[in-house]
Amino acid sequence: QKEVEQNSGPLSVPEGAIASLNCTYSDRGSQSFFWYRQYSGKSPELIMFIYSNGDKEDGRFTAQLNKASQYVSLLIRDSQPSDSATYLCAVGGQNFVFGPGTRLSVLP
Amino acid sequence: DTAVSQTPKYLVTQMGNDKSIKCEQNLGHDTMYWYKQDSKKFLKIMFSYNNKELIINETVPNRFSPKSPDKAHLNLHINSLELGDSAVYFCASSLGPDVLYEQYFGPGTRLTVT
């Protein structure tokens, strides 16, 4: 059974800093990886997906994938208080598996 | 336009009752899902339908029965509700069941069983 692990946090960073969120997964054959943001009381919202080893950038967000280490990360540059949310890592497939999420708090 | 919608948004009911949650997507997607997010915020898949056919059926009590009348709709019926069923239920959809497709979530239905 696929497992996805994340530090539950909370991860606190000052405004303007880089927030680094990490995720590991158990199934070495996994091919697709997704980062979702979930504000309290709201639904998960897709931020980025990544399929290939290396970095993928989209605005202030960078996803990093290392399949050899079974490791995915999300970097948020110039963090803003509005980035304060729970970030969910998910491994794709017919059976999407989500990690428990990391709560990020960006302090003004 | 709302891409994935769910009704109702809130549902408060007593133990033993039967209730339904409805989901609709206007994205033209073939695959729809039901997830349960419990009080610890863990998001777990329950069911998945591809083009009206059940393709994922996780270990869920058989009091839960999904139905997909067409590929744009996926409903969830729950019989004999229990206290432990209290959670937020999310519907989601994707282009297809392929491993590379992302999923888009509805706003959720908060079910409270008293």
Side-chain angles (χ1 to χ4, degrees), chain A residues 1 4 31-32 34 36 38 40-46 49 51 88 92-100, chain B residues 33 35 37 41-45 48 55-56 58 90 97-108 110:
Chain A
Q1 174 130 8
V4 179
Q31 299 179 48
S32 56
F34 303 84
Y36 285 81
Q38 188 174 23
S40 182
K42 301 293 186 185
S43 58
E45 172 193 8
L46 180 69
F49 55 85
Y51 307 145
L88 302 169
Q94 268 199 14
N95 190 357
F96 241 57
V97 177
F98 281 85
Chain B
Y33 309 82
Y35 285 87
Q37 189 169 45
K41 308 299 184 189
F42 194 64
L43 195 60
K44 195 164 190 308
I45 193 164
S48 174
I55 57 170
I56 293 173
E58 289 296 299
F90 287 104
D98 188 272
V99 64
L100 299 181
Y101 291 135
E102 63 270 28
Q103 296 183 12
Y104 295 91
F105 284 78
R110 182 174 294 277

Side-chain angles (χ1 to χ4, degrees), chain B residues 9-112:
Chain B
K9 192 168 171 60
Y10 299 97
L11 190 50
V12 181
T13 188
Q14 291 184 327
M15 281 175 54
N17 284 348
D18 302 339
K19 289 293 177 187
S20 291
I21 307 172
K22 295 187 175 184
C23 177
E24 177 180 358
Q25 55 93 4
N26 62 5
L27 296 167
H29 288 172
D30 282 347
T31 310
M32 296 183 73
Y33 309 82
W34 278 114
Y35 285 87
K36 179 181 181 182
Q37 189 169 45
D38 58 26
S39 57
K40 293 184 180 173
K41 308 299 184 189
F42 194 64
L43 195 60
K44 195 164 190 308
I45 193 164
M46 301 172 68
F47 302 103
S48 174
Y49 272 74
N50 183 55
N51 213 357
K52 303 192 296 176
E53 287 195 24
L54 183 67
I55 57 170
I56 293 173
N57 185 354
E58 289 296 299
T59 309
V60 174
N62 57 16
R63 299 181 293 103
F64 289 79
S65 52
K67 273 202 183 136
S68 181
D70 56 61
K71 70 176 192 178
H73 295 85
L74 180 61
N75 303 323
L76 183 65
H77 188 76
I78 316 170
N79 288 326
S80 303
L81 278 154
E82 300 178 357
L83 291 176
D85 297 333
S86 294
V88 180
Y89 292 84
F90 287 104
C91 177
S93 73
S94 64
L95 264 174
D98 188 272
V99 64
L100 299 181
Y101 291 135
E102 63 270 28
Q103 296 183 12
Y104 295 91
F105 284 78
T109 295
R110 182 174 294 277
L111 171 65
T112 303

Side-chain angles (χ1 to χ4, degrees), chain A residues 38-82:
Chain A
Q38 188 174 23
Y39 292 112
S40 182
K42 301 293 186 185
S43 58
E45 172 193 8
L46 180 69
I47 300 175
M48 291 188 71
F49 55 85
I50 186 166
Y51 307 145
S52 306
N53 276 330
D55 294 0
K56 179 181 177 184
E57 190 173 315
D58 183 359
R60 295 187 296 114
F61 299 98
T62 299
Q64 299 174 318
L65 174 60
N66 183 328
K67 289 185 178 179
S69 302
Q70 295 174 242
Y71 177 89
V72 193
S73 65
L74 180 70
L75 301 178
I76 307 175
R77 288 183 299 282
D78 188 23
S79 295
Q80 301 296 310
S82 59

